[in-house]
Amino acid sequence: MSKNSNGGSSVQRYQESSYDPVRWLNLMVSEPYYLFHLLVFFSYIPVRCSAFQILDPARNSFLLKREIQVFVAYCVLTVVKIVRTESWESFIQDTLLFAKIFLTAIALVMDYHLALWYALAFLVIHIIAQQPPYEGLGSSNHLTPLQLESLLTEGNTSRFWLVEFRAFSTTACVCTSSFFPELSITYSNTNLSFGTIDLGLFPNAAERFGISLGSLNQLPVYILFENAVEVARFPEFDSEPYVFGPTITKRLLCGRFELDKRLLDYVNGK
């Protein structure tokens, strides 16, 4: 009971740490993925200054108009994403994609060789660096497959276990990496526990739990166990293969696994 009575303040502290600008500034300069992108973006400043000296006034005026149009479009898309997104990881991924597209387009207006250089630079970053996932755990537990099987078979732990199977080599798992910790802070109690298994570290566990690694777009997979028996999962076993994966939200997960009802049952002593 005490864990959930303090759930509101715990979530608030968690969200404050998630959206801490100092934390994100540290990531910008310490994580290769963000640092390389910043270096490429800022390289446009000296390139633009040099182009201003070389191009004739009419071409400079045309380029400036295109830059203003691109900046306005980027701001509009950023505002839309920040309103609709549920995680900073997803927001940053999308805004970086917009920035790369617009920068390459502006470079193409200036010179197609420059556009090719930017396209190559972004391709190299995509190959050598990966967007870091959210590192917090909330009230969930990192588990190995053996630990999960032991917890499920012992029978002296939680009645329900909600387990996320993920691999951070996939974009969807990175973008949703903060969802599970947030849900665990709100809903974990003596009846419901949360755990995660990294299929990138334990790929053999996929077959044991009926997960296909043929298409990594199928991840993440969420399975709810009750008394060691699987009672629900998302996506379903019979779901059709998809190219981009389903849109996963915290509201969808809450509804799919009836987390609000299970929390209410716990509060009422059921």
Side-chain angles (χ1 to χ4, degrees):
M1 291 290 290
S2 60
K3 178 181 287 189
N4 286 285
S5 63
N6 296 327
S9 59
S10 299
V11 172
Q12 183 178 4
R13 290 194 299 270
Y14 175 87
Q15 291 177 338
E16 288 174 353
S17 65
S18 299
Y19 307 146
D20 182 6
V22 176
R23 169 179 171 267
W24 283 104
L25 286 175
N26 289 332
L27 283 176
M28 290 294 181
V29 298
S30 61
E31 287 289 347
Y33 179 83
Y34 297 128
L35 180 60
F36 292 159
H37 276 97
L38 285 178
L39 291 176
V40 174
F41 291 144
F42 280 107
S43 70
Y44 183 75
I45 297 177
V47 169
R48 183 65 176 91
C49 293
S50 300
F52 181 79
Q53 303 295 328
I54 298 173
L55 299 178
D56 59 80
R59 188 71 181 275
N60 273 319
S61 177
F62 176 78
L63 182 59
L64 179 60
K65 291 179 181 179
R66 292 292 179 264
E67 288 171 338
I68 293 174
Q69 291 173 343
V70 162
F71 179 74
V72 171
Y74 179 77
C75 289
V76 171
L77 289 173
T78 299
V79 170
V80 171
K81 290 303 300 183
I82 203 170
V83 170
R84 298 181 59 181
T85 192
E86 282 196 323
S87 73
W88 279 106
E89 287 76 19
S90 177
F91 170 74
I92 289 179
Q93 182 195 67
D94 290 337
T95 52
L96 282 179
L97 176 62
F98 298 151
K100 288 186 281 190
I101 292 174
F102 287 142
L103 180 59
T104 305
I106 283 295
L108 186 60
V109 174
M110 192 181 306
D111 184 87
Y112 78 92
H113 294 95
L114 181 62
L116 290 175
W117 184 91
Y118 277 122
L120 179 62
F122 291 134
L123 177 61
V124 170
I125 293 175
H126 177 74
I127 294 173
I128 67 175
Q130 181 184 7
Q131 182 181 359
Y134 183 79
E135 296 179 351
L137 274 177
S139 298
S140 62
N141 304 282
H142 277 317
L143 302 173
T144 66
L146 289 178
Q147 287 175 330
L148 176 59
E149 292 188 9
S150 176
L151 289 170
L152 294 176
T153 55
E154 281 178 0
N156 56 358
T157 58
S158 299
R159 174 185 173 187
F160 295 98
W161 272 91
L162 182 56
V163 183
E164 178 188 41
F165 296 84
R166 63 192 185 187
F168 286 138
S169 58
T170 66
T171 300
C173 291
V174 172
C175 291
T176 60
S177 57
S178 64
F179 290 177
F180 212 65
E182 292 178 4
L183 292 175
S184 70
I185 291 174
T186 304
Y187 295 102
S188 62
N189 52 65
T190 56
N191 284 339
L192 175 61
S193 296
F194 291 73
T196 62
I197 291 183
D198 190 343
L199 295 180
L201 298 177
F202 306 102
N204 294 333
E207 183 178 358
R208 163 67 180 82
F209 294 98
I211 301 171
S212 173
L213 294 182
S215 173
L216 290 179
N217 286 332
Q218 300 282 338
L219 298 177
V221 172
Y222 302 88
I223 301 179
L224 180 67
F225 298 92
E226 180 180 5
N227 297 326
V229 178
E230 178 182 331
V231 293
R233 74 162 54 201
F234 179 80
E236 299 284 355
F237 266 123
D238 57 352
S239 61
E240 293 294 329
Y242 38 74
V243 177
F244 298 105
T247 300
I248 298 174
T249 64
K250 287 181 287 185
R251 179 176 297 182
L252 183 150
L253 294 176
C254 288
R256 181 65 183 81
F257 298 107
E258 300 179 333
L259 297 183
D260 290 310
K261 179 180 179 297
R262 300 184 194 284
L263 179 59
L264 184 60
D265 288 345
Y266 168 70
V267 172
N268 293 333
K270 296 182 179 180

